[in-house]
Amino acid sequence: MASHRGEAKLIAGGQSLMPMLNFRLLDPALLVDISRLPDLAQITASGRGITVGAGVCHHALMRSPELAERLPIINHTMQYVAHMAIRNRGTIGGSLAHGDPAAELPLLAVLLDADIHITGPAGDRTARAEDFFLAPLTTDLSEDEILTAVTFPNLAAGSGWGFEEIARRTGDFALAGAGAVLTLHHGVIADVRLAMMGVDETPRRLPAIEAMLLGRAWDAGVRASAVRQVREQVNPMSDLQASADYRRHLAGVVAGRALDTAWAKGHMP
Amino acid sequence: MIRKRPITLTVNGSTYARDIEPRRLLTDFLREDLGLTGTHVGCEHGVCGACTVLLDGNSARACLCLAVQADGRDVTTVEGMGEIGALSLLQEKFRKHHALQCGFCTPGMLATAHEILNDAAPLTDAEIREALSGNLCRCTGYEHIVRAVSEALSERLGGAATGSAPNAG
Ligand SMILES: Cc1cc2nc3c(=O)[nH]c(=O)nc-3n(C[C@H](O)[C@H](O)[C@H](O)COP(=O)(O)OP(=O)(O)OC[C@H]3O[C@@H](n4cnc5c(N)ncnc54)[C@H](O)[C@@H]3O)c2cc1C
Ligand code: FES
Ligand code: FES
């Protein structure tokens, strides 16, 4: 990589890179295939959370028993990513490094406060997911760095979670998506996180709405005001798939539903 | 001229060793270098599913895979799934239920359906539709494909596999 500065690209599953090569959008002089590095293919549980190697494919995330036990929101959400054949090859490292604003794994990383582990000539470093995504298809990774793993911290005991998206067809990139995680104390929201995808330049949290929900019960009035505020706070773009207004509307729909599910699950024993 | 790389891989049970340019797609390698034109190419960006093959038994888009990445691996294309007079279970069901018309999508459909059968989990018709959602068909309206896969899956789960090719479903 170092000898081909600016001309080299890593290839993992190839499920985002190969379409770009086939369209001649990119023409790297050197491709470095990292898809067979065994160290990148591990899922390990520790006291703090679950660390997933960059080379773990979407299918393995969907089926992972470690995640099912502690972070089932990840298993659940992976079913929305593309199709079986693409999930067999596409990796978490590739999805995060690619940084599509409507992709599920970047949203999960931001929602779940993941740490992104990176190695380069200057050594190892860790980026917070919130700081990692800079613009559409642009991340904090520099050309000579490799994303090695992602750590998802455990959720607090009794957390409720929800993920919702709306896409034109099964497996398509979503027009809008939302993830929510919350805990309850004495029937009100004690802690909550809400993140959106597909309706901004990058996946992002909505801290003002999170703050508004604290100490409240998720009743019809709170729901209506949260949905309204989501629509005020997102900045969707118009494209061939949908207008900005329609995406703004959907943002409220999916955020409301994700919080409905999280609230209901938060009440389960 | 890009330096060629040696690769050795198994396709439908036969081993092939070739020197190829690293930029060669698996689809082009199969179709042009090996003459296996059963693997179709629709979109070349992962959307249509026509090029789906089995790579080490799992479905994969051949148009999103470089042939050098298949070095040392086992590829199954539609040519390895059965033949005239000895159709695989899935091919038999596709035939019975009229699950193909022009046949363009069929090789990819079969590869995806093979993975469904290999997973050997009972699926509802809605779940079968979801599993097949990455394969586009412009002719059949999908209904007959779902019927074919559903019947093959129940036979497979019931242990009544018939006429199935050895390295396929
Ligand atoms: C038809 C289709 C539908 C899809 N639908 C969805 C969808 O609904 N949701 C979704 O999220 N995704 C979707 N995808 C994209 C898919 O999830 C990709 O697998 C994923 O975005 C990229 O992972 P990859 O391993 O294939 O990366 P690659 O394509 O190999 O690489 C992508 C980029 O990341 C870089 N890279 C890869 N690994 C690393 C690493 N470890 N460190 C640093 N850089 C790295 C590469 O250099 C490249 O720039 C779809 C893809 C297709 C073809
Ligand atoms: S040709 Fe590969 S998916 Fe369309
Ligand atoms: S049979 Fe013609 S595309 Fe499916």
Side-chain angles (χ1 to χ4, degrees):
Chain A
M1 294 295 287
S3 66
H4 284 73
R5 262 197 97 82
E7 293 273 283
K9 269 276 181 200
L10 297 174
I11 179 165
Q15 304 301 293
S16 294
L17 186 61
M18 290 303 301
M20 296 173 95
L21 298 184
N22 288 350
F23 281 136
R24 309 299 191 260
L25 293 172
L26 289 175
D27 60 343
L30 178 73
L31 282 183
V32 179
D33 187 355
I34 57 170
S35 63
R36 297 196 199 193
L37 298 179
D39 288 354
L40 295 186
Q42 310 288 329
I43 299 182
T44 37
S46 70
R48 219 189 123 231
I50 306 235
T51 298
V52 180
V56 172
C57 72
H58 303 338
H59 176 81
L61 289 174
M62 201 162 144
R63 299 283 171 94
S64 158
E66 293 89 351
L67 291 172
E69 196 187 316
R70 295 207 220 160
L71 290 157
I73 185 174
I74 300 180
N75 308 76
H76 169 82
T77 302
M78 296 317 292
Q79 69 181 295
Y80 295 95
V81 180
H83 311 281
M84 209 159 70
I86 290 159
R87 291 194 295 262
N88 283 337
R89 307 270 304 155
T91 65
I92 184 170
S95 183
L96 297 176
H98 187 61
D100 191 296
E104 287 81 359
L105 280 163
L107 171 109
L108 287 171
V110 167
L111 175 71
L112 299 171
D113 289 317
D115 281 332
I116 297 176
H117 308 292
I118 298 162
T119 296
D124 298 346
R125 67 186 181 99
T126 297
R128 294 169 58 225
E130 232 187 310
D131 306 326
F132 183 76
F133 302 102
L134 305 178
L137 310 189
T138 309
T139 70
D140 172 41
L141 278 175
S142 68
E143 273 170 14
D144 51 8
E145 287 183 316
I146 169 168
L147 194 164
T148 53
V150 189
T151 301
F152 294 97
N154 293 327
L155 290 180
S159 292
W161 54 267
F163 173 84
E164 288 287 334
E165 73 170 51
I166 295 176
R168 300 210 19 197
R169 292 172 309 192
T170 310
D172 280 8
F173 276 103
L175 299 176
V181 179
L182 54 75
T183 52
L184 304 177
H185 188 64
H186 295 311
V188 296
I189 295 173
D191 186 30
V192 59
R193 288 177 257 168
L194 174 65
M196 307 292 304
M197 66 186 214
V199 288
D200 251 304
E201 295 230 305
T202 64
R204 63 174 263 242
R205 296 271 289 274
L206 295 178
I209 299 176
E210 294 174 353
M212 182 277 281
L213 291 171
L214 285 182
R216 311 264 182 128
W218 181 247
D219 58 26
V222 170
R223 190 185 196 282
S225 89
V227 166
R228 182 175 38 79
Q229 289 185 41
V230 166
R231 291 185 177 134
E232 283 163 14
Q233 290 182 25
V234 296
N235 303 295
M237 302 218 308
S238 292
D239 63 17
L240 281 178
Q241 307 265 346
S243 67
D245 278 349
Y246 182 49
R247 280 208 164 87
R248 187 182 302 285
H249 171 78
L250 293 180
V253 172
V254 290
R257 288 181 188 165
L259 283 160
D260 289 342
T261 313
W263 171 256
K265 281 201 165 77
H267 280 87
M268 291 177 188
Chain B
M1 186 66 192
I2 309 174
R3 186 165 62 85
K4 293 192 174 185
R5 309 288 155 108
I7 64 166
T8 305
L9 75 174
T10 309
V11 182
N12 303 329
S14 309
T15 303
Y16 297 88
R18 290 283 192 283
D19 288 333
I20 54 159
E21 286 190 20
R23 62 177 176 177
R24 195 131 184 90
L25 294 180
L26 182 57
T27 38
D28 294 335
F29 176 75
L30 292 169
R31 292 176 55 85
E32 287 168 31
D33 297 349
L34 302 188
L36 296 170
T37 53
T39 299
H40 292 165
V41 179
C43 66
E44 269 194 0
H45 62 283
V47 172
C48 74
C51 68
T52 309
V53 298
L54 297 174
L55 196 58
D56 289 340
N58 301 315
S59 63
R61 299 289 202 240
C63 75
L64 300 185
C65 184
L66 294 165
V68 287
Q69 293 182 295
D71 184 26
R73 300 197 184 255
D74 181 45
V75 179
T76 307
T77 67
V78 69
E79 288 92 343
M81 293 179 189
E83 50 192 274
I84 294 167
L87 296 183
S88 72
L89 170 64
L90 274 165
Q91 288 171 329
E92 204 61 77
K93 298 302 177 194
F94 268 56
R95 179 177 164 175
K96 174 175 164 197
H97 290 283
H98 304 287
L100 62 152
Q101 290 176 23
C102 79
F104 190 82
C105 69
T106 314
M109 285 287 179
L110 286 169
T112 303
H114 271 284
E115 184 163 346
I116 296 174
L117 258 60
N118 288 344
D119 280 353
L123 298 181
T124 62
D125 282 3
E127 288 166 333
I128 290 175
R129 274 175 195 279
E130 172 122 14
L132 293 172
S133 66
N135 292 74
L136 302 183
C137 175
R138 300 279 88 155
C139 305
T140 64
Y142 302 100
E143 191 56 41
H144 296 251
I145 300 177
V146 174
R147 265 184 236 163
V149 174
S150 168
E151 192 172 295
L153 182 63
S154 20
E155 278 187 26
R156 169 55 59 84
L157 293 175
T162 48
S164 162
N167 65 341

